[in-house]
């Protein structure tokens, strides 16, 4: 039995969001084919995802200096503990399904905060004499992304930084398998939006069958 984290970063549901519609199709198809697997939905717009701020640095600093967790302030305890929970949950999973839109050439900031929370030395990667080495070498991931323009080819391709950033982080963590399903062009070609959406949903279902 595998544990799957279904990580969504969109304030809207599948009725309004093309990425969420494709994500829902993917995860439902996956459930049908892998009934024994555990699927945990992490809605980044509803979950508490602490930013790495002064409280976090202060709490981490106290712990690194040898102080006990009980010596942290209430705010430091809350944030440090939550970050620990998120990173442990991430490491404990076997598969990751990321669902995001493309906003301003990247993903929503809640996704960056989440990735920061799980990028922890000793958990998702380690430092060596030859540089950092990823520790999640038995995992796999997929990114389902909707983008209103065309970014898979042409002059805008080099501007896409959401999927590329996720790919960099998965590689940094040592994840050997990282794929993508892209729904694109619906804002540039509104007359074809429904067709584009249906095609994206179909491709998401196809991807779920081999995930």
């Amino acid at each position: 039995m595998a544990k799957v984290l279904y990580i969504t970063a969109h304030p809207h549901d599948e009725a309004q969001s093309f990425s969420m519609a494709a994500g829902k199709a993917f995860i439902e198809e996956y459930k049908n084919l892998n009934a024994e697997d555990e699927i945990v939905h992490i809605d980044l717009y509803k979950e508490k995802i602490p930013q790495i701020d002064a409280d976090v640095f202060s709490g981490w600093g106290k712990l690194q200096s040898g102080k006990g967790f009980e010596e942290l302030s209430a705010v430091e305890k809350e944030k440090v503990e939550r970050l620990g929970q998120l990173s442990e949950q991430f490491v404990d999973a076997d598969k990751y399904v990321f669902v995001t839109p493309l906003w301003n050439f990247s993903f929503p900031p809640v996704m960056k905060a989440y990735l920061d929370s799980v990028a922890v030395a000793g958990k998702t990667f380690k430092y060596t004499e030859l540089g950092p080495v990823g520790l999640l070498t038995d995992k796999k991931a997929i990114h389902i992304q909707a983008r209103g323009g065309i970014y898979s080819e042409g002059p805008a391709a080099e501007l896409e930084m959401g999927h590329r950033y996720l790919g960099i982080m998965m590689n940094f963590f040592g994840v050997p398998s990282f794929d993508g399903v892209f729904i694109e062009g619906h804002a540039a070609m509104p007359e074809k939006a429904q067709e584009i959406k249906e095609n994206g949903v179909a491709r998401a279902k196809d991807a779920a069958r081999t995930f």
Side-chain angles (χ1 to χ4, degrees):
M1 183 179 78
K3 186 171 188 177
V4 182
L5 297 187
Y6 178 55
I7 306 159
T8 62
H10 204 298
H12 293 150
D13 62 17
E14 66 276 5
Q16 296 175 279
S17 162
F18 281 33
S19 57
M20 292 294 286
K24 182 179 180 181
F26 177 98
I27 209 66
E28 288 184 348
E29 184 71 8
Y30 184 88
K31 285 179 184 178
N32 290 336
L33 298 170
N34 303 275
E36 298 301 314
D37 286 6
E38 178 186 359
I39 299 172
V40 178
H41 184 191
I42 302 176
D43 183 339
L44 297 181
Y45 273 88
K46 294 180 180 178
E47 295 282 346
K48 180 175 287 186
I49 312 294
Q51 293 191 28
I52 298 177
D53 58 12
D55 296 322
V56 172
F57 278 123
S58 176
W60 283 346
K62 289 177 182 177
L63 295 175
Q64 289 170 355
S65 70
K67 291 185 177 181
F69 184 76
E70 69 281 355
E71 297 181 75
L72 273 59
S73 71
V75 173
E76 291 167 350
K77 286 179 182 177
E78 179 184 6
K79 293 181 179 181
V80 168
E81 182 177 34
R82 180 57 179 151
L83 288 170
Q85 292 170 349
L86 290 167
S87 61
E88 289 292 341
Q89 181 187 48
F90 194 80
V91 170
D92 188 49
D94 302 293
K95 301 178 181 182
Y96 314 110
V97 181
F98 297 97
V99 180
T100 76
L102 182 70
W103 287 356
N104 299 319
F105 310 116
S106 188
F107 41 61
V110 287
M111 179 60 77
K112 176 60 166 63
Y114 179 73
L115 292 170
D116 285 345
S117 77
V118 300
V120 180
K123 291 186 178 181
T124 50
F125 71 97
K126 66 179 179 180
Y127 292 110
T128 73
E129 293 180 354
L130 300 176
V133 174
L135 298 175
L136 306 184
T137 56
D138 58 346
K139 318 291 187 183
K140 65 189 306 185
I142 190 168
H143 179 207
I144 298 171
Q145 181 197 59
R147 42 212 198 188
I150 302 296
Y151 291 84
S152 59
E153 59 184 9
E158 65 180 17
L159 303 177
E160 196 288 318
M161 292 179 284
H163 183 69
R164 284 197 289 169
Y165 185 87
L166 268 173
I168 289 169
M169 293 305 295
M170 292 303 102
N171 183 64
F172 184 69
F173 294 159
V175 177
S177 174
F178 177 62
D179 295 313
V181 175
F182 310 115
I183 306 94
E184 63 177 4
H186 44 279
M189 299 174 286
E191 73 282 1
K192 294 184 178 180
Q194 187 59 32
E195 177 186 345
I196 290 169
K197 180 179 181 180
E198 291 173 359
N199 179 268
V201 166
R203 287 186 290 109
K205 288 182 178 179
D206 285 343
R209 297 182 186 118
T210 56
F211 186 66

